Amino acid sequence: MPSLSSRANRGWWDGNADDYQAEHGAFLRDAGFVWCPEGVDEADARLLGEVSGRDVLEIGCGAAQCARWLVTRGARVAAFDLSRGQLLHSRRIDEETGVRVPAVQADAESLPFAAESFDVACSAYGALPFVADPAAVLREVRRVLRPGGRFVFSVSHPIRWAFPDDPGPRGLTSDRSYFDRSPYEERDEHGALTYAEHHRTMGDWVGLLAASGLAITGLLEPEWPEGHDRVWGGWSPLRGRHLPGTAIFSCARI
């Protein structure tokens, strides 16, 4: 059964998919692989290695912009997202571009794919920040990867949780403990959960990956690039000059 976080986030993303794509779609590009608000592009970073001829899974694909880029690079791609609203945008972009991605609606804590089906799995801010049980997701990722398979994912840098989610000067002063793992939650007037994000420290992520049988092979903390003036929520040039905003973990199935 889906967790409370999954049910709440599915509804939130369904309700906000149109606004999200309208605001960020041009930056993400219809067939582009952008890892984070800092603009790290897989075409340059090559964190996934060679993907041509390989079976690749995108986890929490949104409108499948990353998966679509992988298709253009010769990968055999499958993708999924929790939100039907986001997948409707994926279908729209498929029709507009002629580059089609097989995408299904699914929960990352219970993947609808056979064991050892993929050479590579990837997730650009998909699923992992929003799930209550990241260990379940990581176990599922390991299950569907072939031996030696690669998993690369980006999440908010854990240090950001000690600061207000504000792109301006207020966002430079810590106002809570880094070690406070209370989730960020939004609730309706009746107290029902409507949105959730979950905080893990850097040590938590290392422990979770080790326990799941995934070995960390790299960690990228992107610096804010010169000339990049785009504000995305709490990400901004001001904060990016002082604090890491994203952590990108590269892993291999043991």
Side-chain angles (χ1 to χ4, degrees), residues 169-189:
R170 192 174 74 91
L172 298 177
T173 303
S174 175
D175 65 354
R176 70 206 74 183
S177 170
Y178 169 75
F179 300 103
D180 181 358
R181 293 167 175 81
S182 303
Y184 169 77
E185 297 181 343
E186 296 178 5
R187 296 180 180 272
D188 65 18
E189 65 273 18

Side-chain angles (χ1 to χ4, degrees), residues 6 9-17 60-63 80-90 104-107:
S6 292
N9 286 326
R10 180 176 60 223
W12 191 92
W13 282 106
D14 282 347
N16 287 274
C61 66
F80 74 89
D81 199 88
L82 186 66
S83 165
R84 180 176 179 274
Q86 289 280 46
L87 292 173
L88 289 174
H89 280 282
S90 177
V104 298
Q105 187 173 14
D107 190 318

Side-chain angles (χ1 to χ4, degrees), residues 17-227:
D18 292 352
D19 290 343
Y20 179 88
Q21 294 299 330
E23 182 177 0
H24 302 298
F27 178 69
L28 297 173
R29 308 192 310 276
D30 288 344
F33 200 131
V34 180
W35 280 106
C36 53
E38 290 87 350
V40 175
D41 196 310
E42 176 60 16
D44 302 316
R46 297 187 60 81
L47 299 176
L48 301 179
E50 180 56 61
V51 297
S52 179
R54 309 197 79 190
D55 295 307
V56 183
L57 174 65
E58 186 183 5
I59 295 163
C61 66
Q65 287 96 336
C66 297
R68 204 168 287 106
W69 180 86
L70 290 164
V71 170
T72 69
R73 293 306 184 272
R76 295 184 295 270
V77 180
F80 74 89
D81 199 88
L82 186 66
S83 165
R84 180 176 179 274
Q86 289 280 46
L87 292 173
L88 289 174
H89 280 282
S90 177
R91 184 181 300 173
R92 169 183 61 79
I93 298 171
D94 283 353
E95 295 301 320
E96 291 173 355
T97 64
V99 182
R100 290 175 170 78
V101 174
V104 298
Q105 187 173 14
D107 190 318
E109 295 176 55
S110 181
L111 299 183
F113 303 103
E116 301 187 2
S117 297
F118 298 98
D119 302 301
V120 178
C122 58
S123 184
Y125 277 87
L128 280 162
F130 308 104
V131 295
D133 187 1
V137 177
L138 295 174
R139 286 193 301 269
E140 282 289 86
V141 171
R142 185 187 185 280
R143 181 183 66 81
V144 302
L145 280 175
R146 295 176 180 131
R150 185 178 301 195
F151 176 41
V152 184
F153 68 97
S154 60
V155 292
S156 297
H157 197 288
I159 196 63
R160 292 187 77 246
W161 284 78
F163 295 82
D165 194 30
D166 187 320
R170 192 174 74 91
L172 298 177
T173 303
S174 175
D175 65 354
R176 70 206 74 183
S177 170
Y178 169 75
F179 300 103
D180 181 358
R181 293 167 175 81
S182 303
Y184 169 77
E185 297 181 343
E186 296 178 5
R187 296 180 180 272
D188 65 18
E189 65 273 18
H190 306 294
L193 186 68
T194 59
Y195 180 85
E197 284 189 47
H198 296 269
H199 170 45
R200 284 102 199 180
T201 67
M202 193 66 80
D204 291 340
W205 281 118
V206 171
L208 285 162
L209 288 163
S212 70
L214 293 165
I216 298 173
T217 59
L219 172 61
L220 178 61
E221 299 169 295
E223 295 186 40
W224 196 270
E226 290 293 331

